[in-house]
Amino acid sequence: MTAILLSFVARGSQAADGALSHFAGNWSGNGKITVKDGGSERIRCRSTNTSTGNSLKLSLRCASDSYKFELASEANYDE
């Protein structure tokens, strides 16, 4: 099991009209990843979120000395 603790800071905003627009923008943060054997290391993540209407696209990249991963997703709000 791996635990990740991150703290993100907003950097600018690409706000648009829509229910998910307040999540739009660029984000970055540092944290610590802890693995099952108890070892840990620092990790850095960046995210770019874009909002169009009631849709939000997320692109997240994280890296440490031993790990690197990317996550992409799309959320849609339907009233």
Side-chain angles (χ1 to χ4, degrees):
M1 176 180 216
T2 302
I4 299 175
L5 173 64
L6 298 171
S7 121
F8 288 100
V9 176
R11 302 208 186 243
S13 180
Q14 299 172 357
D17 292 335
L20 303 174
S21 65
H22 59 280
F23 294 108
N26 298 311
W27 305 80
S28 66
N30 298 309
K32 182 171 87 170
I33 188 168
T34 304
V35 293
K36 188 175 182 178
D37 69 5
S40 65
E41 60 187 77
R42 293 170 46 107
I43 192 166
R44 176 139 177 90
C45 295
R46 291 179 184 225
S47 179
T48 301
N49 307 327
T50 55
S51 176
T52 305
N54 287 333
S55 197
L56 178 73
K57 289 184 180 179
L58 165 81
S59 176
L60 174 71
R61 290 181 173 192
C62 295
S64 71
D65 290 339
S66 304
Y67 298 94
K68 183 178 179 180
F69 63 89
E70 295 183 25
L71 173 75
S73 65
E74 185 173 344
N76 294 298
Y77 175 78
D78 187 14
E79 295 181 39

